[in-house]
Amino acid sequence: MQFLSANAVVYSRRFKMDFQPDGWLKSIDSKGDDAIKAGSELAREQLRAIKSLRFGLYLIAAFFVIVAAFLAVFAPTGREDITKAIVAVLGILALGCVGYSHFAFSGFGVRASAKKRG
């Protein structure tokens, strides 16, 4: 399924799909014997798109973690403070990529918490 950037209606021989402005499916209309086949085809395609999106986000998160680890190990002398800040930002971005929507940090006692969506 191709994600569209504006309101769109896609017509096929078997079904009509109506998309929201953010690209997600709003409704599907199908008639006759092909209705069940079209619905299952659409559900399968949407699940495949969600899986590939999630896999891509996990790859991006892994990249952020690898870069952060590299920076933490090979920080230039005299630049440790800015490197720690960059490592923290990359860690927070990685948490966001894998689905955490709430992250809290508490001072020098180092207390952190993270909550997932849903």
Side-chain angles (χ1 to χ4, degrees), residues 4-15:
L4 306 172
S5 60
N7 276 338
V9 177
V10 177
Y11 292 95
S12 173
R13 288 182 298 164
R14 292 189 288 180
F15 54 86

Side-chain angles (χ1 to χ4, degrees), residues 103-113:
F103 179 76
F105 179 77
S106 178
F108 295 168
V110 186
R111 187 179 145 251
S113 70

Side-chain angles (χ1 to χ4, degrees), residues 53-77:
L53 175 69
R54 188 171 294 152
F55 181 72
L57 288 173
Y58 282 132
L59 283 178
I60 292 171
F63 175 75
F64 286 154
V65 168
I66 290 169
V67 170
F70 182 80
L71 286 175
V73 171
F74 298 109
T77 307

Side-chain angles (χ1 to χ4, degrees), residues 35-97:
I36 295 173
K37 189 182 286 185
S40 65
E41 178 183 328
L42 178 67
R44 185 174 30 255
E45 189 65 29
Q46 193 159 13
L47 286 174
R48 188 188 63 76
I50 290 170
K51 283 182 182 179
S52 66
L53 175 69
R54 188 171 294 152
F55 181 72
L57 288 173
Y58 282 132
L59 283 178
I60 292 171
F63 175 75
F64 286 154
V65 168
I66 290 169
V67 170
F70 182 80
L71 286 175
V73 171
F74 298 109
T77 307
R79 306 267 185 190
E80 288 90 1
D81 293 336
I82 190 71
T83 303
K84 288 177 185 176
I86 292 172
V87 167
V89 167
L90 288 173
I92 292 169
L93 286 173
L95 285 173
C97 285

